Amino acid sequence: MNVPLLALDDGALADRNDFRRDVLAGLGRYPRAIPAKYLYDSRGSALFDAICELPEYYPTRTETAILRDCADDIARLAGPGCALVEYGSGSSVKTRLLLDAMVDLHAYVPIDISRQHLDATAVRLRHDYDGLRVDPVSGDYMKLDALPPAINGARRIGFFPGSTIGNLTPEEAILFLRRARRLLRADGALVLGVDLRKDPQRLHAAYNDAAGVTAQFTLNLLRRMNRELDANFDLSAFVHDAFYNEAEGRIEIYFRSLRHQEVRVAGRRFVFAEGERVHTEYSYKYDEAGIGALAGKGGFSIERSWTDPARLFAVVFLK
Ligand SMILES: C[S@@+](CC[C@H](N)C(=O)[O-])C[C@H]1O[C@@H](n2cnc3c(N)ncnc32)[C@H](O)[C@@H]1O
């Protein structure tokens, strides 16, 4: 395999091995699927930031507006001297509203699988927040067993915005919450951003933007496989395919083969039929009762919740 493994440090090498294993397993079974976390290499993270700016993509600006209004309430509920632990932190843009509001923050711990993007974000935050302790953790939050010892002794407030919880199946979301509850400890809390069920057309538009940025984001996974797994996907022979499945209450995203074709990935050959889809992402939408039920199964209860006037999105404070 013609991949420059020697140029990678141990962390990046382990990431590459996980990627190869999960892609080969996901393409080797039917229906085919690749875990959504692999959409986020450096380019994927930058494309996600571009998606957040799209006119059709209401979640980011709606959640930002809610947080702008409730950041002081969150800071009061959290109390002074906390550690803020963010799951899937990306560019930590909305986080700044909490960093500005929280009193005597002990540390900020951003967790993200997109290693280089996480490191670059940490550098920017240290520059912009003089004196703030920023302790990034690079890895999969579904597997994380410990947080940096530097936050021992501080109340741990988790933050999981962006409706990233919607990328998990409800079963995975419960496992995530149970793990978060252990890591955040009995006196901790979790601030969760959740996209609400709404008009299917609005949902459809949000994941099929006119500028095609969401399509680039999905197809970036093929580029990543070409680069990191010595694959030879023809990017013009696959398309982004996203729709709302109303019965399941979720957006489903795939890449779809435009023709019958054979592709090499990490030394293996895979045949794709014309029209065959490979699943890359879900985005589950919840109603308010569903959020409460999910929180309860994950070991939390809702202390406060906030929404926007059109009830597109919810932010909840779970204890
Ligand atoms: C939908 S984006 C949200 C980014 C940001 N929090 C926001 O609200 O705009 C999801 C983020 O979670 C990260 N991510 C996805 N799956 C992950 C996983 N299993 N473990 C750690 N980070 C993950 C991605 O790299 C990405 O930065």
Side-chain angles (χ1 to χ4, degrees):
M1 221 173 93
N2 182 24
V3 178
L5 293 179
L6 290 178
L8 300 174
D9 65 24
D10 289 352
L13 185 57
D15 291 350
R16 177 82 49 102
N17 287 336
D18 288 351
F19 184 40
R20 183 194 303 112
R21 184 200 57 221
D22 290 347
V23 165
L24 292 179
L27 294 181
R29 66 166 183 260
Y30 293 93
R32 288 174 161 158
I34 297 176
K37 62 186 177 183
Y38 294 116
L39 292 162
Y40 295 93
D41 59 357
S42 293
R43 185 166 182 272
S45 295
L47 283 166
F48 181 75
D49 283 350
I51 288 172
C52 292
E53 303 288 325
L54 293 168
E56 298 94 333
Y57 197 74
Y58 63 86
T60 307
R61 57 175 183 279
T62 310
E63 185 180 31
T64 303
I66 298 171
L67 284 169
R68 196 168 284 128
D69 284 347
C70 71
D72 288 339
D73 289 344
I74 291 175
R76 259 192 304 279
L77 289 168
C82 294
L84 183 66
V85 178
E86 181 168 357
Y87 293 91
S89 48
S91 293
S92 302
V93 175
K94 284 170 253 177
T95 322
R96 289 172 181 249
L97 295 166
L98 296 187
L99 296 178
D100 293 339
M102 291 176 80
V103 179
D104 292 336
L105 198 63
H106 178 78
Y108 171 53
V109 179
I111 304 166
D112 207 287
I113 200 154
S114 188
R115 191 180 289 272
Q116 287 171 333
H117 195 78
L118 174 71
D119 289 342
T121 300
V123 168
R124 267 200 310 279
L125 286 171
R126 287 192 194 105
H127 174 268
D128 294 349
Y129 287 83
D130 197 22
L132 175 66
R133 179 179 186 118
V134 181
D135 267 339
V137 175
S138 164
D140 184 342
Y141 48 56
M142 297 301 286
K143 298 183 179 159
L144 196 65
D145 285 325
L147 291 170
I151 65 167
N152 286 346
R155 185 180 189 207
R156 300 170 173 196
I157 305 296
F159 183 40
F160 197 24
S163 207
T164 307
I165 196 159
N167 296 149
L168 306 175
T169 63
E171 296 73 29
E172 290 168 337
I174 292 166
L175 293 177
F176 169 85
L177 289 171
R178 290 185 181 159
R179 184 175 288 269
R181 193 186 174 285
R182 269 198 312 279
L183 281 183
L184 299 172
R185 298 185 171 163
D187 68 336
L190 177 66
V191 180
L192 187 64
V194 188
D195 198 13
L196 297 175
R197 292 194 180 185
K198 58 182 65 63
D199 169 21
Q201 278 180 356
R202 182 148 202 181
L203 288 169
H204 183 85
Y207 294 86
N208 289 282
D209 60 284
V213 183
T214 314
Q216 283 186 55
F217 176 70
T218 299
L219 296 179
N220 181 55
L221 185 56
L222 279 59
R223 265 180 204 262
R224 181 175 185 187
M225 289 188 276
N226 284 354
R227 192 180 60 249
E228 297 188 18
L229 304 182
D230 192 31
N232 64 346
F233 282 97
D234 172 357
L235 268 76
S236 67
F238 290 88
V239 288
H240 162 82
D241 189 351
F243 56 87
Y244 186 57
N245 178 336
E246 200 157 2
E248 298 289 343
R250 68 188 183 206
I251 290 280
E252 299 184 8
I253 307 182
Y254 303 83
F255 61 84
R256 177 163 44 85
S257 178
L258 291 176
R259 53 177 160 79
H260 181 93
Q261 54 187 315
E262 186 178 291
V263 179
R264 183 190 73 235
V265 184
R268 299 249 308 265
R269 301 200 166 269
F270 297 93
V271 173
F272 293 88
E274 181 181 343
E276 185 179 345
R277 296 187 304 207
V278 179
H279 178 255
T280 58
E281 204 179 358
Y282 286 131
S283 184
Y284 278 82
K285 310 300 170 186
Y286 287 90
D287 57 23
E288 284 159 51
I291 298 172
L294 187 71
K297 288 181 189 152
F300 286 95
S301 62
I302 298 181
E303 185 162 359
R304 281 281 298 275
S305 63
W306 302 267
T307 185
D308 54 293
R311 301 184 99 74
L312 298 178
F313 202 94
V315 173
V316 292
F317 190 98
L318 305 178
K319 59 177 182 174

